Amino acid sequence: MSDALLRLDHVTRRFGGLVAVNDVSFSVDEGEIVGLIGPNGAGKTTVVDLVTGVQRPQGGEIFLDGGRVTALPAHRRSRMGMARTFQVVRPFAHLPVRDNVVVGALYGHGRAPMREARRLADEVLEMVGLAHRAASPAITLTVADRKRLELARALATRPRLLLLDEAMAGLNATEVDEAMEVIRRVHASGVTLVVIEHVMRAIMGLCRRVLVLEAGRLIADGGPETVARDPEVIRAYLGQRWAERQEAGRD
Amino acid sequence: MTEALLEVRDLRSGYGDVTVLWDVSLGVRPGDFVAIVGSNGAGKSTLLASVSGMLRPSQGHVLLDGHDMTHSPAEAYVRRGLVHVPQGRRLFPGMTVEENLLLGAYRRGRDGVRQDLERVLETFPPLVPRLHGLAGRLSGGEQQMCAIGRGLMGRPRVLLIDELSLGLAPVAVDALLEAVRRLHADGLTIVVVEQDVQVALEHATVAYVLEAGRVTLQGSGPELLTDPRIRAAYLGV
Ligand SMILES: Nc1ncnc2c1ncn2[C@@H]1O[C@H](COP(=O)(O)OP(=O)(O)OP(=O)(O)O)[C@@H](O)[C@H]1O
Ligand SMILES: Nc1ncnc2c1ncn2[C@@H]1O[C@H](COP(=O)(O)OP(=O)(O)OP(=O)(O)O)[C@@H](O)[C@H]1O
Ligand SMILES: [Mg+2]
Ligand SMILES: [Mg+2]
């Protein structure tokens, strides 16, 4: 049996009395797109922090490709092929878009020399559909384009595993469709994805498998249709209005 | 016709030499629930900033209760009961959640502050255990709840919310809408900018579509919800 690309084994993270991530175990195989959903404060961003090494768990282990990474610093994990986007995007506001991405390329997995970093930056800007804004200062980007920039910065590290933390927040339906296209392209280029999103349309459309966290615990793991009909998930996360709309939509 | 609570006449506004809003006019009557809809970059946030004194319009007028406020500071708007919850939260990260919420009420005396705090916490239960923690440690969605909660603490007459549902779980959006609807029923006038056009239009008594800095459509929410132009451009159907 080959190892999963990512595996969490009984991972726990506390903040004082609060157990933000509580004995969580799951694995992600190479080539998957897995959704991670759950109510506000459920622990989703904390899971991303733990996986990428921004934070350490108090209990449990994390494996990349079967190798233990639990105690490795974030930059080591980045070089091993892990990348993430941040929920609250903070680009270097006055640097051009392209330079923002070059910085990512210089530090990541590939650790490319400058010339290579520039070429890589142009390539990922093309992939996310931001090539035409390459020379603009990041501050002049719209929310949708800022999200694309954040994705490009992560891609410039040439990740094998990419965790997207609400990459579509603040986009309208049309823009969500466009973002889904970009994410499919990224996936097709060989990147394994974990997608955190409150935009359910995107989760349902992108993921074959969805994990649900509530109050730090994993409460569901299954196909999107099954998960969306799970009464626990409806109670804790989706809400009655969403469930009713789905029903109406099926008729 | 009732006199407009908030009136915008031929407004031009932007950043430095860049004009973002071109001759925008709109009226908000007492008790309206107004939705502003438009793509990223259409100028929605710029519009809210320009009608709350955060950004100085280069032309045109903003009237509140018939008073010309165009050259007044943001303070003066707040004093007249207009509260703006900007996009991107802007909490004080080094202060506790409770302190952030109470800041929203600082200008209106102590009366009823505790009750209002209770009501905000009923609307946003995830904030209850976080009350004495630092706002900077909140999850993304919890920060949005805190920012809107702080706005409500000011007991506004007109509440402007930019990106109502940003980062909120579906259940939390339901709870927030329910709360906003209750406040609206009690007489609060509301202006929301919202990317989830379905959610925005279902509730709006009046809606404006902003495209490239100009108002291109207006009508009641339900009217616009069935408009083919809206459905094609914003609902992806
Ligand atoms: N450094 C910290 N100190 C104290 N509490 C924290 C810290 N970081 C996170 N928390 C708390 O841990 C819980 C989980 O937070 P997390 O950011 O992982 O939630 P989330 O699932 O990403 O939520 P959202 O959907 O709102 O982004 C929250 O209640 C949050 O307030
Ligand atoms: N501080 C700024 N400096 C320069 N240009 C800006 C600034 N803020 C916004 N802009 C530009 O003004 C235009 C309108 O932006 P605005 O934020 O008002 O749009 P919006 O409709 O709120 O979109 P979004 O969905 O991105 O929030 C955009 O082209 C944007 O790039
Ligand atoms: Mg989060
Ligand atoms: Mg905006």
Side-chain angles (χ1 to χ4, degrees):
Chain A
M1 198 190 93
S2 70
D3 284 308
L5 181 57
L6 173 69
R7 186 157 70 86
L8 277 73
D9 189 28
H10 298 287
V11 168
T12 294
R13 170 70 186 166
R14 287 183 217 92
F15 298 111
L18 170 79
V19 191
V21 175
N22 195 346
D23 195 26
V24 166
S25 301
F26 67 84
S27 52
V28 176
D29 285 329
E30 179 120 49
E32 276 195 292
I33 305 190
V34 176
L36 177 58
I37 62 175
N40 298 118
K44 304 178 298 295
T45 298
T46 306
V47 165
V48 176
D49 286 351
L50 293 169
V51 167
T52 54
V54 175
Q55 296 185 34
R56 298 292 137 72
Q58 281 109 353
E61 300 287 353
I62 299 168
F63 301 90
L64 184 70
D65 246 347
R68 207 168 68 95
V69 298
T70 322
L72 291 185
H75 67 271
R76 293 277 304 279
R77 296 189 214 193
S78 162
R79 253 176 273 155
M80 293 168 77
M82 278 192 190
R84 58 100 55 97
T85 63
F86 284 90
Q87 186 170 355
V88 180
V89 185
R90 290 195 196 85
F92 298 107
H94 297 283
L95 278 190
V97 164
R98 188 168 180 243
D99 294 355
N100 267 279
V101 180
V102 168
V103 171
L106 286 174
Y107 287 98
H109 185 30
R111 292 249 274 171
M114 186 51 98
R115 183 192 301 256
E116 169 66 8
R118 291 216 180 97
R119 198 195 53 74
L120 193 57
D122 290 337
E123 184 185 310
V124 296
L125 283 173
E126 190 68 47
M127 181 181 277
V128 304
L130 209 52
H132 65 295
R133 297 301 307 267
S136 316
I139 194 173
T140 65
L141 296 184
T142 65
V143 170
D145 283 346
R146 248 175 244 188
K147 294 285 188 182
R148 286 174 195 253
L149 170 57
E150 179 66 7
L151 180 58
R153 284 214 293 171
L155 285 174
T157 68
R158 288 187 179 283
R160 299 170 62 199
L161 173 68
L162 174 58
L163 301 104
L164 301 177
D165 197 355
E166 299 197 32
M168 299 186 209
L171 308 194
N172 71 29
T174 314
E175 291 154 351
V176 167
D177 286 338
E178 290 163 7
M180 283 168 68
E181 264 323 295
V182 172
I183 289 172
R184 287 202 185 95
R185 232 179 294 155
V186 169
H187 181 241
S189 79
V191 182
T192 303
L193 291 164
V194 174
V195 181
I196 296 179
E197 208 54 70
H198 291 302
V199 179
M200 279 305 286
R201 233 158 59 79
I203 291 286
M204 304 294 286
L206 286 172
C207 307
R208 292 264 196 82
R209 186 177 151 221
V210 179
L211 307 171
V212 188
L213 271 182
E214 188 205 5
R217 286 186 179 276
L218 208 53
I219 61 164
D221 177 352
E225 300 291 336
T226 316
V227 164
R229 273 196 301 265
D230 184 330
E232 264 298 276
V233 176
I234 292 174
R235 178 195 57 75
Y237 180 65
L238 293 170
Q240 218 45 56
R241 198 176 55 98
W242 194 88
E244 277 158 22
R245 257 206 208 127
Q246 283 307 99
E247 278 309 314
R250 265 198 277 275
D251 300 337
Chain B
M1 198 186 126
T2 337
E3 199 193 334
L5 179 49
L6 174 66
E7 197 184 334
V8 176
R9 283 191 204 145
D10 303 321
L11 198 72
R12 278 200 192 184
S13 193
Y15 306 89
D17 294 339
V18 183
T19 300
V20 171
L21 299 177
W22 298 90
D23 310 318
V24 170
S25 295
L26 49 90
V28 177
R29 288 161 308 177
D32 271 344
F33 191 130
V34 181
I36 314 272
V37 164
S39 304
N40 271 294
K44 305 178 299 296
S45 297
T46 305
L47 176 60
L48 292 200
S50 305
V51 303
S52 61
M54 315 266 288
L55 203 61
R56 196 68 47 222
S58 54
Q59 261 185 55
H61 296 274
V62 179
L63 288 83
L64 202 52
D65 301 314
H67 295 270
D68 194 331
M69 305 290 288
T70 319
H71 302 288
S72 308
E75 283 282 304
Y77 286 80
V78 178
R79 239 177 286 132
R80 288 197 172 271
L82 181 138
V83 169
H84 174 201
V85 180
Q87 188 173 4
R89 293 147 188 156
R90 313 226 176 131
L91 300 174
F92 295 94
M95 293 170 70
T96 68
V97 172
E98 185 175 42
E99 286 164 347
N100 269 277
L101 290 171
L102 291 176
L103 266 182
Y106 81 100
R107 102 176 15 270
R108 44 159 277 224
R110 269 158 215 257
D111 269 12
V113 168
R114 280 288 138 189
Q115 287 96 300
D116 289 359
L117 186 61
E118 306 262 294
R119 208 159 311 138
V120 165
L121 296 177
E122 265 166 42
T123 307
F124 301 120
L127 293 184
V128 175
R130 306 271 86 79
L131 213 49
H132 302 294
L134 296 183
R137 300 267 161 83
L138 291 176
S139 80
E142 290 164 348
Q143 288 183 35
Q144 174 78 344
M145 296 178 194
C146 188
I148 295 176
R150 186 175 60 185
L152 292 174
M153 291 296 294
R155 289 217 181 157
R157 289 163 59 222
V158 195
L159 180 61
L160 315 180
I161 307 179
D162 202 348
E163 302 289 353
L164 179 90
S165 71
L166 188 74
L168 294 183
V171 271
V173 177
D174 287 356
L176 174 58
L177 282 172
E178 197 41 53
V180 169
R181 220 168 7 206
R182 258 194 328 263
L183 292 162
H184 180 236
D186 289 345
L188 177 64
T189 303
I190 291 166
V191 181
V192 295
V193 165
E194 171 60 28
Q195 291 290 10
D196 189 334
V197 173
Q198 176 101 26
V199 158
L201 295 184
E202 267 173 20
H203 295 85
T205 55
V206 188
Y208 293 91
V209 177
L210 207 56
E211 282 171 345
R214 292 186 163 84
V215 174
T216 54
L217 271 179
Q218 66 187 79
S220 79
E223 244 165 58
L224 291 192
L225 207 46
T226 55
D227 190 306
R229 286 168 291 185
I230 295 285
R231 300 183 70 78
Y234 300 106
L235 298 175
V237 290

